[in-house]
Amino acid sequence: MSDIAQLLPILGQGFLTTLAIFALTLLFSIPLGMVIALGRMSRFKVVRYPIKFYISVMRGTPLLLQIVAIYFGSYYLSENVGSSWLSFDRFPAVIVAFSLNYAAYFAEIFRGGIQSISKGQYEAATMLGFTKTQTFFRIILPQVVKRVVPASANEVITLVKDTSLAQVIAVTELFALAKKQQAAYASIFPLFVAGVFYYVANLLLSVLFGYIEKKLDYYK
């Protein structure tokens, strides 16, 4: 019990960093994902093809590699250009990498949701005098939200666990602190305590998304 009492405040500090990575990633990646999804469906090839390539790269390479590439790449770029503005500190580099990566996944989820709406609804909205913007935000988007919640929930839950990858560039989040405590205690017990933190966070998210799905289940 004394070990847990000592561990909880220490790991709690790391969990705050984990929550910050989680919250900021969602804050930036969800709206960016919607913009990318719309660009992915553009009829202009000059817009559509670069976005397809970006999504392919983000989904086809490890997030760990992307974090390292953005952190060290920005450093070397700033050195060559001679401008410190181009260099990211550790925490901002993690947020940029996570946001760009998850935006690609959310973009494909949103694109699938948008394209699942029948064209007849667009035509009906036009006949009723709705503009394209009004049609999207008042008719299409509410239905898209309902359809993408389950897939988005999976990504959000995965994000909680992926935050542990931030330790690759020495960002002291929950799992990084747990590994340090593992060495101090000469035991894997701190890792199991960290696992409880992750599990509780994901359990709460699962309950939250379950509640949202029920609220959006219009037919019941």
Side-chain angles (χ1 to χ4, degrees):
M1 291 299 293
S2 60
D3 288 345
I4 295 179
Q6 292 175 354
L7 272 174
L8 289 180
I10 297 173
L11 296 185
Q13 293 177 1
F15 189 58
L16 291 177
T17 303
T18 292
L19 289 179
I21 297 171
F22 171 79
L24 290 172
T25 298
L26 290 183
L27 178 66
F28 295 121
S29 64
I30 290 177
L32 179 59
M34 179 58 72
V35 172
I36 293 170
L38 296 175
R40 173 72 173 77
M41 296 183 293
S42 172
R43 66 176 185 274
F44 300 109
K45 292 181 180 180
V46 69
V47 175
R48 188 170 70 252
Y49 285 172
I51 288 178
K52 287 179 66 177
F53 178 72
Y54 157 77
I55 292 174
S56 176
V57 171
M58 289 295 105
R59 298 175 70 194
T61 58
L63 176 55
L64 187 71
L65 175 61
Q66 294 165 22
I67 296 170
V68 172
I70 288 174
Y71 177 62
F72 289 104
S74 67
Y75 171 76
Y76 288 122
L77 182 62
S78 67
E79 287 290 312
N80 292 329
V81 175
S83 174
S84 60
W85 291 97
L86 298 174
S87 178
F88 291 117
D89 288 333
R90 287 181 172 84
F91 189 79
V94 165
I95 300 304
V96 170
F98 271 76
S99 297
L100 291 175
N101 178 275
Y102 272 82
Y105 285 93
F106 281 126
E108 288 298 275
I109 292 172
F110 296 155
R111 181 178 68 87
I114 293 170
Q115 292 182 335
S116 69
I117 307 298
S118 65
K119 292 183 178 180
Q121 295 197 40
Y122 291 91
E123 295 170 355
T126 301
M127 292 180 64
L128 291 171
F130 285 88
T131 64
K132 289 184 178 181
T133 302
Q134 290 174 328
T135 299
F136 180 76
F137 284 102
R138 295 187 181 183
I139 299 175
I140 305 303
L141 188 58
Q143 297 181 74
V144 170
V145 170
K146 179 179 184 295
R147 298 186 184 195
V148 303
V149 164
S152 298
N154 289 333
E155 290 300 321
V156 171
I157 288 172
T158 300
L159 173 58
V160 174
K161 296 176 287 186
D162 278 351
T163 56
S164 62
L165 297 175
Q167 64 182 297
V168 72
I169 55 172
V171 172
T172 311
E173 43 68 58
L174 174 60
F175 200 74
L177 275 178
K179 288 177 67 177
K180 289 182 180 179
Q181 294 304 308
Q182 177 191 11
Y185 280 78
S187 167
I188 62 171
F189 180 69
L191 298 181
F192 283 107
V193 176
V196 173
F197 274 91
Y198 287 115
Y199 175 74
V200 171
N202 281 328
L203 181 62
L204 293 175
L205 285 171
S206 297
V207 172
L208 174 62
F209 277 104
Y211 174 78
I212 293 173
E213 284 189 54
K214 287 182 180 179
K215 283 293 183 181
L216 293 176
D217 194 350
Y218 313 130
Y219 301 107
K220 290 185 180 180

